[in-house]
Amino acid sequence: MNNDFSSTPHRRYNILTGEYVLVSPHRTKRPWQGKKESASKKEQIKHDPNCYLCAGNTRINGEVNPDYKSTFVFKNDFGALLEDSTPFSYNEGLLKAEDETGICKVICFSPNHSETLPDMEISAIENVISVWQKEYKELGTNPAINHVQIFENKGAIMGCSNPHPHGQVWAQKSIPNEVIKKTQKQQEYFDANQQSLLVDYVKQEIELNERVVFENETFVSVVPFWAVWPYEVMILPKRQIQNIALLTNAEKTDYAEQIKVVTQKYDLLFDCSFPYSSGIHQAPTDKDYNAWHFHMSFYPPLLRSATVKKFMVGYEMFGMPQRDITAEVAAQSLREL
Ligand SMILES: [Zn+2]
């Protein structure tokens, strides 16, 4: 490893977005006098009569959840997007706006009120992936939908309003900012090299073996070279797969195992039910994208313990993201768990 990475302030380039992150490894030597509180223990009950996601319970809009046995999907009663909005376009001088339409859904991973992804059997995580595939395909073929974002907010610290393990799907007419950046960067590389950017990146990461967290036959998880969040992880397939609907059965099992291993390592890291936002970035659905290579990213806020969180403030709001602990050190901690 280049020794400068572990001692000298530097900036690292994100090949997927074209943006930089500032890394200040020398600062990890400064003394820490903050508190180290014990983690809040996670939920233990299987069914909570007051939870609007548990089976058989009534949601706020009066609908009753079915007595579901595995993964359960429903349209978000308070979705940020609506299917029917009045079309409009506003262009006045420098002011520009237009209507946005879409569909928001909630995916309960299992009927068990306390069973998070790391607690689930690999076969049960495969069921969750099957639901993601179905939603991506179904929503993606809707002519009014051009992008399908699958994500999870886990933990109250991430603003998650209900402890019942669940994820969301926001499918919409326009393509979101982050996806536009990643589409452009992957296309540029593909056009220049006739190869997926992330196929080449995976090869380099496996060869260097400095940031790999866990590898199985068809997938690998790494702390990306350009990671912003202290324990950020990216799970990606070794071959180019544009979207999750194109996974073979063997790849689906490997992907489920990656999710299980990464989230289990997270829970072990600070001995808590580890909070994060995770999301799947994959090809938009308006046309074919030959350069896209799907990947799942985890952005966890925790820095030093179950209660010490990284804040994106000050310089990071006005300049660019900054981190102290290097991606290499974070990967080593996760790998060894
Ligand atoms: Zn529940």
Side-chain angles (χ1 to χ4, degrees):
M1 191 173 76
N2 185 334
N3 194 46
D4 293 347
F5 282 170
S6 59
S7 58
T8 310
H10 58 279
R11 62 179 194 150
R12 295 191 188 192
Y13 182 67
N14 182 333
I15 54 170
L16 283 167
T17 62
E19 292 164 351
Y20 284 91
V21 53
L22 180 64
V23 185
S24 315
H26 60 297
R27 292 221 305 180
T28 52
K29 293 172 182 84
R30 83 196 147 130
W32 171 249
Q33 295 187 311
K35 276 194 287 185
K36 234 187 173 181
E37 293 164 41
S38 62
S40 57
K41 281 297 152 199
K42 59 175 290 208
E43 301 269 325
Q44 291 298 348
I45 49 167
K46 287 189 171 159
H47 187 276
D48 176 354
N50 298 314
C51 167
Y52 69 86
L53 299 180
C54 274
N57 290 354
T58 305
R59 298 206 302 274
I60 298 166
N61 68 350
E63 272 183 55
V64 178
N65 293 332
D67 188 22
Y68 65 97
K69 302 293 181 203
S70 64
T71 306
F72 168 55
V73 188
F74 65 92
K75 256 189 208 172
N76 194 333
D77 305 324
F78 302 96
L81 294 158
L82 299 171
E83 271 184 271
D84 301 308
S85 296
T86 316
F88 79 91
S89 174
Y90 178 82
N91 268 299
E92 288 294 324
L94 295 173
L95 310 182
K96 186 179 169 182
E98 61 197 29
D99 67 285
E100 179 68 282
T101 50
I103 299 168
C104 296
K105 291 188 176 186
V106 176
I107 301 175
C108 300
F109 296 146
S110 94
N112 188 328
H113 183 76
S114 307
E115 194 178 53
T116 58
L117 286 173
D119 305 325
M120 292 170 78
E121 299 288 339
I122 288 174
S123 60
I125 299 176
E126 282 183 67
N127 285 340
V128 175
I129 296 172
S130 298
V131 170
W132 290 340
Q133 291 177 310
K134 184 171 170 281
E135 292 299 329
Y136 176 83
K137 275 193 277 191
E138 274 184 20
L139 291 163
T141 46
N142 179 338
I145 298 296
N146 294 315
H147 183 261
V148 179
Q149 183 59 56
I150 295 165
F151 65 97
E152 178 190 3
N153 271 335
K154 179 168 175 259
I157 200 172
M158 298 308 293
C160 180
S161 58
N162 187 309
H164 193 124
H166 68 282
Q168 299 186 56
V169 186
W170 289 19
Q172 68 192 97
K173 184 172 73 173
S174 72
I175 298 172
N177 305 346
E178 290 302 304
V179 181
I180 290 174
K181 285 184 251 176
K182 290 188 173 185
T183 301
Q184 191 190 343
K185 285 289 161 198
Q186 290 181 102
Q187 195 65 53
E188 281 171 13
Y189 190 88
F190 196 91
D191 291 344
N193 302 281
Q194 283 74 54
Q195 173 68 289
S196 150
L197 172 66
L198 290 181
V199 162
D200 284 348
Y201 175 64
V202 163
K203 271 190 204 146
Q204 197 176 347
E205 285 291 16
I206 291 174
E207 210 177 285
L208 291 170
N209 200 25
E210 287 168 352
R211 285 167 294 274
V212 172
V213 173
F214 176 62
E215 182 185 355
N216 53 22
E217 202 179 326
T218 60
F219 273 78
V220 67
S221 45
V222 298
V223 177
F225 182 70
W226 52 85
V228 164
W229 295 94
Y231 293 94
E232 182 174 331
V233 165
M234 178 159 75
I235 297 175
L236 67 168
K238 292 179 189 174
R239 76 172 176 105
Q240 186 193 1
I241 304 176
Q242 283 87 354
N243 65 67
I244 52 168
L246 301 171
L247 290 167
T248 66
N249 286 335
E251 286 166 342
K252 193 156 133 183
T253 308
D254 280 357
Y255 179 28
E257 186 190 29
Q258 285 284 348
I259 292 173
K260 168 125 186 141
V261 169
V262 168
T263 54
Q264 270 185 327
K265 283 174 178 290
Y266 274 161
D267 280 5
L268 289 168
L269 186 64
F270 298 132
D271 187 29
C272 67
S273 185
F274 202 75
Y276 57 74
S277 272
S278 69
I280 299 171
H281 268 152
Q282 52 187 331
T285 57
D286 57 331
K287 57 175 185 170
D288 279 340
Y289 287 90
N290 59 357
W292 254 96
H293 187 134
F294 108 79
H295 50 280
M296 181 178 198
S297 295
F298 289 79
Y299 302 149
L302 296 185
L303 184 59
R304 280 188 200 86
S305 73
T307 52
V308 179
K309 178 181 180 287
K310 174 185 173 67
F311 290 95
M312 286 278 199
V313 293
Y315 177 79
E316 304 188 295
M317 279 179 159
F318 294 97
M320 63 173 162
Q322 184 270 341
R323 61 182 291 141
D324 293 348
I325 169 184
T326 62
E328 295 73 39
V329 170
Q332 191 186 354
S333 304
L334 289 170
R335 198 166 48 234
E336 287 170 357
L337 285 167

